[in-house]
Amino acid sequence: MNQSSEEPKLQLRLVPVTPLQQNCSLLWDDTTKHALMVDPGGDIDTLMGALDQFGLTLKRIWLTHGHLDHAGAAADLRDRTGVAIEGPHPDDQFWLDQIEDNGKRYGIKGGRNVTPDRYFADGEQLTFERATFGVVHTPGHTPGHVVIYNTDVKLAFVGD
């Protein structure tokens, strides 16, 4: 993700969501205005507003793990934008199936259970606007937790 003239000029903003103030990451190419969101945990109107504020078109949705504050708005975001949900590792599907129940348990409204359009695998490479990101399966916080990283600019999406 070197920022040479051939590489995209990427911008990053954190968008706090849910009463837990979980940081959803919004990354975009300043030239194309294409964006990705990592861990859209809730507050769909806030997330859509962030896209509108910067004039962005969402192209990717990535999840690091299946906890409700990281994945609760993913289904709504997919419904509103038509963008596929990618990740986490399949070992977290049971968490993704409990988002609504966990929301009730913690008093967080609006989250929906979700099944990703595809899961991440350990060691795979992801691309976004010509930038390459690696994926490492890091069970511990959850069984299907992943870290998505780019060593060129020392950027990592680690969830919690």
Side-chain angles (χ1 to χ4, degrees):
M1 198 165 86
N2 292 329
Q3 299 286 320
S4 72
S5 61
E6 296 177 16
E7 297 284 336
K9 181 164 176 17
L10 299 178
Q11 299 289 325
L12 176 69
R13 294 291 185 280
L14 299 179
V15 182
V17 294
T18 79
L20 301 174
Q21 292 296 283
Q22 190 307 103
N23 284 322
C24 171
S25 297
L26 176 60
L27 184 73
W28 73 89
D29 180 311
D30 219 15
T31 303
T32 66
K33 299 295 186 182
H34 293 167
L36 73 84
M37 278 194 185
V38 181
D39 290 345
D43 303 332
I44 186 66
D45 291 333
T46 299
L47 298 176
M48 295 303 295
L51 292 168
D52 290 344
Q53 176 184 356
F54 296 106
L56 306 175
T57 302
L58 189 65
K59 295 293 185 177
R60 308 292 286 270
I61 302 168
W62 292 346
L63 303 179
T64 62
H65 65 287
H67 284 161
L68 81 120
D69 60 327
H70 290 259
D76 286 339
L77 196 57
R78 177 175 55 194
D79 289 351
R80 289 204 190 176
T81 65
V83 174
I85 299 167
E86 301 175 273
H89 184 277
D91 289 351
D92 258 19
Q93 186 57 54
F94 79 98
W95 281 116
L96 297 167
D97 291 338
Q98 297 178 50
I99 289 173
E100 294 166 19
D101 288 340
N102 286 328
K104 289 176 190 171
R105 190 172 296 124
Y106 295 103
I108 298 174
K109 298 180 182 183
R112 289 176 44 204
N113 297 348
V114 66
T115 299
D117 296 283
R118 78 174 198 87
Y119 297 101
F120 291 145
D122 185 58
E124 84 172 272
Q125 299 286 302
L126 308 175
T127 58
F128 173 70
E129 298 298 301
R130 299 178 318 274
T132 301
F133 293 81
V135 174
V136 179
H137 180 212
T138 53
H141 182 62
T142 67
H145 191 238
V146 298
V147 169
I148 305 164
Y149 67 94
N150 180 292
T151 56
D152 291 337
V153 294
K154 298 178 175 80
L155 175 65
F157 300 108
V158 300
D160 287 327

